[in-house]
Amino acid sequence: MRMKKKTTAAASGAAKRRKGAAPVRKSAPGKTGTKQTGTKQAGTKRTGTKAAGAEATTRGAVASGDKSTIRRLRAQLVRAQARIEELQASAETDFLLGILNRRGFERELIRSLSFIKRYQASGALIVLDVDRLKPINDAFGHAAGDAVLKTIVAAISDQVRASDVIGRLGGDEFAVLLWNLSEIDARAKAAALEQAIDQLAFVFRGNRVTAGASAGVAIITAHSDIDRVLDEADRAMYVRKAQRRHEPGDQSQG
């Protein structure tokens, strides 16, 4: 009887162990779980690749945008520089006559003085004052005076070289900067300019009138400075104007 009970108990225990092992077999499909994890990891990799690609595209777009911005800014800078040069030229140009005004001429004179000092070159400054412009303005108006000034500038331009500089110092006073002239040549050029302007004739309201000009000369050397050379030429011009008033047939005024 005891043997039968033991056998029965052993069989019952084995059956229980088999029942208890069953859940282990049910949970065994670890292979399926591994595949699912691998799929998830592969999906993560693909997602990461897409994100990296999107980031690279974004960086490329930003870089392209930066280049476009740089090109735009460079174009704006070029336009701004051109505008600055245009405004500077306008500020230094006499609009009526199309030549340098006093500011522009003095800038050129300073630059030329630096060149002369550095390279031991030579030059001359001629200052001209139109002799009879005031009576013409008074009698026929400023439009007539403007026409006289334009014709005088044309006459001066015909007498000088392209490398020489013409400027209007103000009102009826002009200046000419000439390069590489001896004092004798400079005074001869001043006389030629006076003669060319003296020969001009104008007709206003049926009246024939003439103008004329008095010229003063200053020689530019390595020791010259702008104030001294302008003052010297200006004083020489007034001396010449006084001389012309006493010349036979001269009607200089203003």
Side-chain angles (χ1 to χ4, degrees):
M1 291 296 290
R2 289 179 181 175
M3 293 293 292
K4 286 182 181 179
K5 286 181 181 180
K6 288 180 179 179
T7 304
T8 303
S12 176
K16 287 179 180 180
R17 286 194 297 272
R18 285 195 297 271
K19 287 180 181 179
V24 176
R25 287 196 297 268
K26 287 181 181 178
S27 63
K31 293 181 180 179
T32 305
T34 304
K35 287 182 180 179
Q36 290 173 352
T37 304
T39 303
K40 289 180 181 179
Q41 290 174 349
T44 302
K45 289 181 180 179
R46 286 195 294 271
T47 303
T49 302
K50 289 180 180 179
E55 185 178 353
T57 301
T58 302
R59 285 198 301 268
V62 170
S64 177
D66 289 344
K67 290 179 181 178
S68 176
T69 300
I70 290 171
R71 285 194 296 269
R72 187 178 72 254
L73 291 175
R74 283 177 177 170
Q76 290 176 352
L77 179 60
V78 170
R79 289 195 294 271
Q81 288 174 336
R83 181 58 178 161
I84 290 171
E85 291 176 1
E86 180 183 342
L87 291 173
Q88 184 177 11
S90 297
E92 296 181 350
T93 301
D94 185 283
F95 290 105
L96 174 65
L97 305 176
I99 58 175
L100 293 175
N101 59 18
R102 188 182 191 100
R103 176 181 176 180
F105 186 83
E106 287 185 353
R107 180 180 61 80
E108 282 296 312
L109 183 56
I110 291 171
R111 185 185 65 82
S112 300
L113 286 170
S114 297
F115 180 89
I116 288 170
K117 289 178 181 180
R118 181 173 181 179
Y119 296 103
Q120 299 299 308
S122 62
L125 175 66
I126 299 177
V127 170
L128 296 115
D129 187 81
V130 179
D131 288 333
R132 292 182 287 276
L133 186 64
K134 187 177 184 304
I136 292 173
N137 280 329
D138 292 344
F140 306 107
H142 287 281
D146 291 346
V148 170
L149 293 176
K150 290 178 181 179
T151 305
I152 288 174
V153 170
I156 295 172
S157 299
D158 289 340
Q159 292 289 323
V160 299
R161 301 159 296 184
S163 59
D164 298 327
V165 182
I166 305 172
R168 184 183 186 185
L169 299 182
D172 55 1
E173 191 169 272
F174 297 88
V176 184
L177 175 62
L178 305 122
W179 287 95
N180 298 321
L181 286 181
S182 66
E183 183 173 357
I184 294 175
D185 290 337
R187 297 192 183 283
K189 178 58 66 176
L193 289 171
E194 285 185 353
Q195 184 179 6
I197 296 171
D198 287 346
Q199 291 175 349
L200 298 175
F202 307 89
V203 177
F204 299 117
R205 301 175 191 168
N207 297 283
R208 184 179 182 277
V209 296
T210 59
S214 301
V217 179
I219 303 303
I220 302 173
T221 69
H223 304 290
S224 299
D225 62 68
I226 182 171
D227 292 330
R228 186 166 62 183
V229 75
L230 280 170
D231 182 64
E232 183 180 345
D234 202 51
R235 285 189 287 104
M237 179 271 295
Y238 279 109
V239 170
R240 178 60 181 154
K241 183 181 281 289
Q243 292 174 347
R244 284 169 61 85
R245 285 197 178 109
H246 295 90
E247 290 178 354
D250 185 78
Q251 301 174 0
S252 299
Q253 293 183 48

